[in-house]
């Protein structure tokens, strides 16, 4: 990692994301020939595929020795290695995109030795960018602003308040595309338990429809916790860097897992603040069962 100019990688990632963003905002979202993957709610569009192709080509031309893992070219059995690897979701929030809902982001991360190191999450509809380089802070940049220059804000946006008790938290959740068997039941039972008066009685449950934007909302302090199993490394890698640089951390969505890999597919993300470990334990105490995804 010593000989990789992370600032240059970061700046290049932003440059190509901003450029290809116009391809997303000008597209007529159509599942058309692309359609769906695992089932009728696991959508993919021709724009997802085209944007991934454009970004992967640019990244490979500039960094030919780096590996690449993208949602639309991933093959079951592909494994993340220790090599510097770009991990990309060209349109995170594809269902939102198809429904013309603007909670959509290009999620582009660089992992080195499987550790999320550089991350950018760019919403082309709002022209807002979350970005971070490990050990160099996390930022939110508004390109659409009346000011002559983009407005760049350090994350979290406000001094962190205590995280405990869990009942004071706003929690990001996702149903995801896997609607069957054990894992769907664990989600359904736990969502109810979190909201119930005799359970967590949390302030609210929210679904932005994008793992990357959920991670960044937690990093910004706009949500306190995000819990999901079934999404992938490309959904979370970039947001992971942003969250870590904003004082947050990611553990396993299953109780007791203090360490989880970026490709672990089970995530509990918590913002920075006093009581971070306590709220993790409190949350785990309300999880009804154990996820099977991720092995
Ligand atoms: C989405 C994730 C989300 C998950 C959805 C889907 P996509 O990614 O961001 O967290 O719940 O099932 O995987 O498919 O829009 O790139």
């Amino acid at each position: 990692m010593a000989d990789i100019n992370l600032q240059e990688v970061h700046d290049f990632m932003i440059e190509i994301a901003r450029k290809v963003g116009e391809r997303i905002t000008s597209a007529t979202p159509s599942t058309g020939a692309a359609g769906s993957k695992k089932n009728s709610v696991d959508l993919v569009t021709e724009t997802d595929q085209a944007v991934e192709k454009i970004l992967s080509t640019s990244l490979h031309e500039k960094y030919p020795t780096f590996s690449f893992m993208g949602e639309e070219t991933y093959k079951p059995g592909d494994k993340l290695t220790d090599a510097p690897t770009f991990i990309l979701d060209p349109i995170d929030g594809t269902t939102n995109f198809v429904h013309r809902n603007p909670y959509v982001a290009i999620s582009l991360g660089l992992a080195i030795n499987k550790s999320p190191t550089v991350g950018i999450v760019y919403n082309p509809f709002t022209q807002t960018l979350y970005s971070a380089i490990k050990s160099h802070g996390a930022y939110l940049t508004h390109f659409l602003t009346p000011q002559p220059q983009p407005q760049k804000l350090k994350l979290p946006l406000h001094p962190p308040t205590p995280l405990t008790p869990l009942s004071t938290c706003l929690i990001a959740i996702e149903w995801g595309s896997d609607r069957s068997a054990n894992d769907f039941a664990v989600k359904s039972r736990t969502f109810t338990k979190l909201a119930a008066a005799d359970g967590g009685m949390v302030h609210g449950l929210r679904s932005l429809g994008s793992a990357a934007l959920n991670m960044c909302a937690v990093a910004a302090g706009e949500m306190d916790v995000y819990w999901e199993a079934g999404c992938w490394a490309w959904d979370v890698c970039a947001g992971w860097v942003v969250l870590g640089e904003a004082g947050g951390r990611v553990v396993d969505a299953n109780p007791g897992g203090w360490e989880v890999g970026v490709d672990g597919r089970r995530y509990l993300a918590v913002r920075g603040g006093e009581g971070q470990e306590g709220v993790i334990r409190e949350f785990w105490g309300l999880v009804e069962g154990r996820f099977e995804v991720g092995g």
Side-chain angles (χ1 to χ4, degrees), residues 261-284:
V262 69
D263 55 352
R265 301 197 64 198
R266 299 190 307 258
Y267 311 105
L268 174 64
V270 181
R271 68 168 169 81
E274 184 194 330
Q276 191 178 71
E277 195 168 303
V279 82
I280 290 170
R281 292 182 192 282
E282 216 184 324
F283 190 103
W284 277 342

Side-chain angles (χ1 to χ4, degrees), residues 37 41-43 48 71-72 89 91-96 174-178 187 209-212 214 226 228 230-232 234-235:
K37 295 187 274 193
V41 297
D42 188 12
L43 302 181
D48 289 82
E71 177 172 16
E72 309 315 337
D89 186 340
I91 300 183
D92 190 44
T94 296
T95 302
N96 288 345
E174 293 292 342
W175 287 103
S177 54
D178 181 357
K187 285 183 182 178
S210 156
N214 283 326
Y226 163 49
E228 183 169 6
C231 52
W232 298 81
W234 47 77
D235 296 312

Side-chain angles (χ1 to χ4, degrees), residues 85-292:
T85 305
F86 288 112
I87 304 180
L88 167 69
D89 186 340
I91 300 183
D92 190 44
T94 296
T95 302
N96 288 345
F97 175 60
V98 167
H99 288 268
R100 298 185 182 279
N101 174 310
Y103 280 93
V104 166
I106 295 168
S107 173
L108 176 52
L110 175 69
I112 299 173
N113 298 321
K114 299 192 182 96
S115 173
T117 305
V118 183
I120 66 121
V121 176
Y122 178 59
N123 182 332
F125 291 100
T126 59
Q127 293 193 42
T128 49
L129 169 74
Y130 294 92
S131 60
I133 301 172
K134 207 171 190 174
S135 310
H136 289 78
Y139 298 89
L140 167 60
T141 303
H142 294 286
F143 290 99
L144 278 184
T145 164
Q147 317 302 329
Q149 291 299 327
Q151 186 191 18
K152 187 170 181 178
L153 306 168
K154 194 149 187 339
L155 297 180
L157 295 174
H158 308 287
T161 54
L163 276 157
T164 47
L166 180 69
S167 60
T168 65
C169 289
L170 190 59
I171 297 173
I173 59 168
E174 293 292 342
W175 287 103
S177 54
D178 181 357
R179 304 294 176 84
S180 63
N182 172 76
D183 290 4
F184 182 74
V186 172
K187 285 183 182 178
S188 307
R189 292 195 301 260
T190 304
F191 294 165
T192 301
K193 193 73 183 264
L194 285 168
D198 62 350
M201 192 64 168
V202 299
H203 277 182
L205 302 177
R206 300 286 185 273
S207 289
L208 297 183
S210 156
L213 291 177
N214 283 326
M215 295 283 271
C216 291
V218 176
E222 295 164 344
M223 299 235 239
D224 303 299
V225 176
Y226 163 49
W227 183 68
E228 183 169 6
C231 52
W232 298 81
W234 47 77
D235 296 312
V236 300
C237 180
W240 194 302
V241 192
V242 175
L243 177 64
E245 288 305 305
R249 74 180 286 188
V250 183
V251 296
D252 199 315
N254 275 338
W258 289 101
E259 297 296 332
V260 64
V262 69
D263 55 352
R265 301 197 64 198
R266 299 190 307 258
Y267 311 105
L268 174 64
V270 181
R271 68 168 169 81
E274 184 194 330
Q276 191 178 71
E277 195 168 303
V279 82
I280 290 170
R281 292 182 192 282
E282 216 184 324
F283 190 103
W284 277 342
L286 294 172
V287 175
E288 295 276 299
R290 292 184 72 80
F291 287 116
E292 292 169 356

